[in-house]
Structures are given as C-alpha cells and as structure tokens.
C-alpha cells in the first residue's frame, strides 16, 4: 500500500503538473491522434543492437524503436559516429523514429560495481543527443539487481551524482528500470537530487513484484520518464495487466511521449504476428 506522500513529495509532484493476423505495413498516416507514440524494444522484435530492427518496426506499423547502445561484443557500437549515421539513414528511409536508447548489458555487467559502466552511461548521453532521443533506459536486473542491496544502491547513487550534471546540461533523462518499488526508486532519485534521474516504469515487472501499479503510477507522476507496455507470455490485453486502467492512470498524470512494447508474445507465437496485434491493440486503446 502506498502511503500518503510527504510535503517534499507533494511539492515535487505538483511542480511536474485484435485479430492477430499479418496485415500490410501500417504507415504514419494511420497512427494515433494522441500525443502518445508507440514503439518497441529492439530486443523484443528480434533486432537487439541491429539496424534491421527499424525495417521490422515498419512492417509492424510502429512509430519508432527503442534501440540498444550495443553489446560487449561490439563495444557499445552506437558510440561510433559511423554507426549512428547508419541508424539515421535507416530511420529516414523507413520513416521509423529512433524512439529511445537502452543499455541492457547492465543486467550482466552491473552499473553498481563494474567500472566500465560509468563510461558507457556517460557516453550514452552523447549518443542520445546525437540520435535525437531524450530518454536512456538503464537496466538493473539479474547481476545488476538493486533489490535488498543497500551497498549497491549507495554506489549507484554515487555514480549518478557524478554523471547527473552532464545529463542535465544535455537535456537527457536517465531512466532506472528495476525490481524496486516506487518508493524505493524515489529514495534513489531524492538522494541524487537531479531532475534528470527518473523511473522507467514497466507495468508487467511491477505487477509481477506484487506492487499496485495503479497506486504507483500516480505516486511517481512526473518522475516516470517512459513506459514499457509489457506482458509476459500473452498478447497485450490478454494477460494480467489491465491496460485500459493503465491508460487512464497515465492520462490522469498527463503522460505524453513514448510507450514501448516489450515481451507480449504468446508461448510458441510468431513475433511479427504478435507485434502487429499488440500495435493495433494500443492504437485502438489510444483512439479515444
């Protein structure tokens, strides 16, 4: 149960104030009238750290793709100007936007402990600015998990404090996605003290952890920088998450920007067919 927010919280929040059949490609002219933009994570559409993810996104009918900074194997290749240019060219050719940036490798190479990650995060700010996107997802799962790890949280706070001014100067937001509750996320954000450290909210992960997402969303309010519209082992709207209520909760906090589809493929299901259905589901949901 989320408790009543204190005076500092109040000031902070107030200040912020399907048929699954393959169909022809959906183009921008058919996209939603709302200010919500619909994308997908490159790793969810069989395109982790691959430019081809933009072609797949065009087939699905998405507005954009949340792209990965890279992998250890390619040395976070999006830091290279020539790779950035290839992505920009593909974006222009497909009409699919670069909808955000993510560093998923932090799951296996933790930000809380590995020295390499500080440069990755710092460099990702430059990359995001060069690619014209505002939000960078920083993943804190698996080896990078912060749940019940006070020492890890303390080190993450220390590292965020070092890089926060750069994010602020460049207008880039670093979004924490983790198993933490809304209040635990706010402990980190308040300790860092930067408006450019926020929460990357995943409705399925929070549901899995037993958090009440319909209390957490209004509590976090403007501290939510972006949202994963995710379901585990089911199409969107067919699983545990009530996406109609999610839309209302996001509308109530005047959320605008990207929602990125993640997961949401039934067991044994085809990714492309599933993502066309997921995209159609969200577009129908956001028509009103």
């Amino acid at each position: 149960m989320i408790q009543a927010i204190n005076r500092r919280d109040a000031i902070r929040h107030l200040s912020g104030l399907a048929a699954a059949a393959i169909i022809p490609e959906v183009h921008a002219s058919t996209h939603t009238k709302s200010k919500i933009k619909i994308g997908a994570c490159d790793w969810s559409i069989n395109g982790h750290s691959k430019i081809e993810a933009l072609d797949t996104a065009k087939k699905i009918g998405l507005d954009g793709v949340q792209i990965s900074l890279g992998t250890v194997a390619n040395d976070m290749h999006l830091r290279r100007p020539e790779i950035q240019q290839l992505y920009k060219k593909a974006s222009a050719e497909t009409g699919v936007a670069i909808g955000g940036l993510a560093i998923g490798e932090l799951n296996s190479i933790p930000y809380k402990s590995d020295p390499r990650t500080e440069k990755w995060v710092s460099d990702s700010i430059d990359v995001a600015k060069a690619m014209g996107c505002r939000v960078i997802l920083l993943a804190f799962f698996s080896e990078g998990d912060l749940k019940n790890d006070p020492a890890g949280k303390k080190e993450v706070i220390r590292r965020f404090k070092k890089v926060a001014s750069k994010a602020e100067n460049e207008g880039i937001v670093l979004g924490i996605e983790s198993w933490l509750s809304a209040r635990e996320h706010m402990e980190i954000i308040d300790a860092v003290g930067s408006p450019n450290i926020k929460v990357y909210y995943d409705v399925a992960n929070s549901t899995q952890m037993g958090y009440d997402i319909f209390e957490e969303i209004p509590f976090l309010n403007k501290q939510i920088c972006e949202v994963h519209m995710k379901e585990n082992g089911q199409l969107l709207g067919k699983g545990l998450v009530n996406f109609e209520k999610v839309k209302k909760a996001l509308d109530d906090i005047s959320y605008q920007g990207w929602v990125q589809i993640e997961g949401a493929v039934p067991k044994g299901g085809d990714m492309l067919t599933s993502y066309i259905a997921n995209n159609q589901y969200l577009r129908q949901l956001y028509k009103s």
Side-chain angles (χ1 to χ4, degrees):
M1 182 73 176
I2 299 291
Q3 300 175 356
I5 61 176
N6 60 31
R7 183 174 180 274
R8 180 180 60 184
D9 291 334
I11 292 172
R12 182 184 63 248
H13 292 307
L14 287 173
S15 68
L17 309 184
I22 291 183
I23 60 172
E25 294 176 2
V26 181
H27 298 284
S29 62
T30 65
H31 287 177
T32 55
K33 296 179 181 178
S34 76
K35 294 184 179 180
I36 294 293
K37 296 179 181 179
I38 301 173
C41 316
D42 66 3
W43 57 92
S44 290
I45 56 174
N46 300 340
H48 184 259
S49 199
K50 297 177 181 177
I51 295 173
E52 290 79 9
L54 278 76
D55 290 318
T56 303
K58 181 180 180 180
K59 294 176 183 177
I60 295 167
L62 298 169
D63 297 312
V65 178
Q66 182 178 39
I67 62 174
S68 298
L69 184 66
T71 65
V72 174
N74 64 30
D75 192 29
M76 302 296 158
H77 69 167
L78 203 57
R79 295 183 293 173
R80 293 159 48 192
E82 63 270 25
I83 300 298
Q84 295 172 17
Q85 289 305 314
L86 290 174
Y87 270 90
K88 289 179 181 180
K89 183 174 183 289
S91 176
E93 290 175 348
T94 61
V96 174
I98 305 299
L101 191 59
I103 313 180
E105 294 287 73
L106 298 180
N107 290 326
S108 56
I109 304 172
Y111 188 54
K112 65 183 179 181
S113 59
D114 195 295
R116 291 173 290 176
T117 61
E118 288 196 82
K119 182 166 176 53
W120 293 350
V121 172
S122 179
D123 288 351
S124 74
I125 294 171
D126 300 318
V127 173
K129 185 176 182 181
M131 300 303 291
C133 52
R134 180 173 175 268
V135 174
I136 304 168
L137 182 159
L138 305 181
F140 290 89
F141 302 101
S142 190
E143 298 301 314
D145 189 5
L146 297 176
K147 194 72 176 175
N148 301 317
D149 183 3
K153 286 171 65 177
K154 183 177 180 180
E155 179 59 16
V156 164
I157 290 166
R158 187 189 73 80
R159 294 185 180 200
F160 274 151
K161 284 182 176 180
K162 288 173 62 179
V163 77
S165 60
K166 179 178 181 179
E168 292 169 20
N169 291 338
E170 301 297 347
I172 302 299
V173 172
L174 302 177
I176 309 167
E177 186 186 11
S178 78
W179 294 120
L180 299 178
S181 68
R183 286 199 173 275
E184 289 170 320
H185 278 120
M186 287 313 308
E187 289 171 4
I188 294 174
I189 290 170
D190 286 339
V192 177
S194 170
N196 289 59
I197 307 296
K198 295 184 182 292
V199 177
Y200 201 108
Y201 201 77
D202 186 307
V203 295
N205 290 346
S206 295
T207 297
Q208 181 177 334
M209 288 298 290
Y211 307 140
D212 187 335
I213 63 176
F214 305 111
E215 288 188 350
E216 288 205 326
I217 290 172
F219 169 73
L220 288 169
N221 203 312
K222 299 304 180 185
Q223 299 302 321
I224 295 175
C225 62
E226 208 162 278
V227 180
H228 271 165
M229 294 296 206
K230 178 180 175 181
E231 189 59 85
N232 293 312
Q234 296 287 344
L235 296 174
L236 299 184
K238 303 293 186 181
L240 296 177
V241 179
N242 185 330
F243 284 95
E244 292 184 2
K245 287 185 67 176
V246 168
K247 178 188 179 296
K248 183 180 185 306
L250 292 174
D251 286 347
D252 287 346
I253 63 170
S254 300
Y255 177 80
Q256 297 178 356
W258 287 96
V259 295
Q260 307 283 5
I261 308 170
E262 185 182 25
V265 176
K267 184 177 180 179
D270 175 73
M271 180 281 295
L272 188 61
T273 304
S274 298
Y275 267 70
I276 289 172
N278 289 327
N279 178 51
Q280 291 175 332
Y281 173 80
L282 288 182
R283 294 199 183 281
Q284 184 64 33
L285 190 63
Y286 276 96
K287 278 178 65 176
S288 56

